[in-house]
Amino acid sequence: MIISVRSKIHEMDIVRALAILAVVLIHSTSDATLEPTDGSLSQIIFYAINRACQFAVPLFILISGFVLFYQYYDNWNEKLACKYFRKRIWRVAIPYVVWSSFYYTFNQYISKRGININLHDFFVSFKWGEIGYHLYFMILILQFYLLFPALMTLAKRWTWFRHCLIPLGFLIQGSFYVYKNWVKELPHVSSLSPTYFAYFLIGGYLGIYYMIFKSWLKINIIWILPVTFLSGFIYVGMLIESRYSNILFENTPWYDISVLFYSVGIGITFLRLGCLLLNKSYAPIRWLNSISNYHLVFI
């Protein structure tokens, strides 16, 4: 059997690097999100920067869907699925167990209260990624890694399923939003895959049809840019109003819609930017390509 290998998408290195920089900005401006709220111009600016970079997690989910579907689509079979699982267990699951165990004991050690091993407490925190700061992302991405083989198998088997990946993502994420907000309140929603399902399947669709999408993007970026900017402006504006005017916008449909359009638009815009910068030899571009190698970050 001849195995075709798709060429590496080098522009994705630029996208990944920009997403990493967004994570750095989130953490470096995090103090602006803390109380007290003084309403000073500097605090508002830092708060706006912090919130404007919150596309990072959705974008990393979109990148994961994109890369997985792009890499495995042409040759997906049972043998490749076994190889896929071994790779994910070795690179993600085992490191998560090791680092969770380390943080569980280390956090107790630095608290100077002594180390007390309680397996029940450990596993409760472990299953939600709450042992270390932002380890919830590992639980989140592991769910998508577990779901991917089934999604890929269906996409290979049924053309209609493959063509409906994006509306299916909207349906799952939208239904989950309705359920958790208007039917039953759920804990740990940030660690549950349905919260980000649209991003993963949008990435998957773009990964399967990237060559076609790349040509489409070159023509249509002219209207994607203003839509992205407008949705980002609305999103950040709602958060600023919520913080400084006590007008609650979070957990409203308009808030989630603006986040979705903004995060996807940012990802598509970065992808086009990556195409434009791909063959440039400027030092900043080489630097972006180098830091993209550190994409397995806890965000």
Side-chain angles (χ1 to χ4, degrees):
M1 180 181 65
I2 299 176
I3 297 178
S4 60
V5 179
R6 287 184 169 187
S7 59
K8 180 182 177 181
I9 302 177
H10 293 281
E11 54 266 35
M12 187 58 72
D13 290 339
I14 303 293
V15 180
R16 190 180 291 113
L18 292 172
I20 292 172
L21 290 180
V23 174
V24 174
L25 280 173
I26 289 173
H27 290 289
S28 60
T29 59
S30 60
D31 285 348
T33 66
L34 303 176
E35 300 292 348
T37 300
D38 60 22
S40 65
L41 179 60
S42 60
Q43 187 186 61
I44 293 174
I45 291 174
F46 280 115
Y47 181 79
I49 293 172
N50 181 277
R51 294 313 184 194
C53 292
Q54 295 293 325
F55 64 81
V57 170
L59 181 52
F60 272 112
I61 297 298
L62 189 150
I63 290 172
S64 296
F66 184 106
V67 172
L68 286 173
F69 278 88
Y70 178 85
Q71 180 180 359
Y72 287 102
Y73 178 74
D74 287 342
N75 306 302
W76 186 253
N77 54 44
E78 183 177 330
K79 183 177 180 180
L80 193 59
C82 294
K83 182 179 178 181
Y84 161 84
F85 274 117
R86 287 197 303 270
K87 185 176 181 180
R88 290 308 176 279
I89 290 172
W90 179 251
R91 291 191 176 184
V92 182
I94 293 178
Y96 174 62
V97 173
V98 171
W99 282 104
S100 293
S101 302
F102 168 78
Y103 280 122
Y104 180 74
T105 55
F106 181 73
N107 290 338
Q108 294 186 65
Y109 172 76
I110 61 174
S111 69
K112 298 181 179 179
R113 291 178 296 180
I115 297 176
N116 178 30
I117 306 298
N118 187 314
L119 291 180
H120 178 265
D121 291 343
F122 173 82
F123 283 113
V124 168
S125 299
F126 175 83
K127 70 179 181 180
W128 296 115
E130 295 177 338
I131 293 176
Y133 185 57
H134 277 184
L135 280 180
Y136 80 92
F137 184 78
M138 301 302 294
I139 291 296
L140 183 61
I141 201 65
L142 280 169
Q143 291 172 61
F144 284 114
Y145 285 161
L146 289 172
L147 291 169
F148 170 73
L151 294 169
M152 174 58 85
T153 300
L154 293 174
K156 289 285 289 185
R157 182 171 298 176
W158 292 321
T159 303
W160 69 265
F161 185 87
R162 186 164 64 248
H163 289 168
C164 290
L165 283 176
I166 293 178
L168 179 62
F170 286 136
L171 178 62
I172 293 174
Q173 188 167 319
S175 299
F176 184 70
Y177 173 85
V178 170
Y179 182 81
K180 71 183 178 68
N181 282 282
W182 296 322
V183 178
K184 182 180 180 181
E185 186 176 351
L186 296 174
H188 310 289
V189 291
S190 62
S191 300
L192 297 175
S193 61
T195 302
Y196 297 95
F197 226 91
Y199 302 105
F200 189 75
L201 291 191
I202 289 172
Y205 183 87
L206 299 183
I208 292 174
Y209 297 107
Y210 180 60
M211 293 301 117
I212 298 173
F213 173 72
K214 188 175 181 180
S215 301
W216 177 91
L217 178 59
K218 185 177 181 180
I219 299 171
N220 291 274
I221 190 65
I222 192 169
W223 64 264
I224 292 174
L225 282 173
V227 169
T228 301
F229 177 81
L230 179 60
S231 58
F233 181 81
I234 292 172
Y235 158 65
V236 174
M238 285 192 292
L239 287 174
I240 291 175
E241 283 294 319
S242 297
R243 182 179 177 95
Y244 295 98
S245 300
N246 296 319
I247 303 173
L248 186 61
F249 284 103
E250 290 190 70
N251 297 321
T252 64
W254 296 116
Y255 170 82
D256 284 77
I257 290 171
S258 65
V259 171
L260 182 62
F261 274 88
Y262 174 54
S263 300
V264 174
I266 282 285
I268 292 174
T269 301
F270 284 174
L271 200 55
R272 179 57 186 159
L273 181 63
C275 293
L276 294 175
L277 299 177
L278 188 59
N279 297 317
K280 306 298 183 182
S281 60
Y282 305 128
I285 308 306
R286 295 196 300 270
W287 179 68
L288 286 175
N289 283 321
S290 67
I291 68 172
S292 69
N293 294 324
Y294 300 97
H295 61 279
L296 290 177
V297 294
F298 295 153
I299 61 176

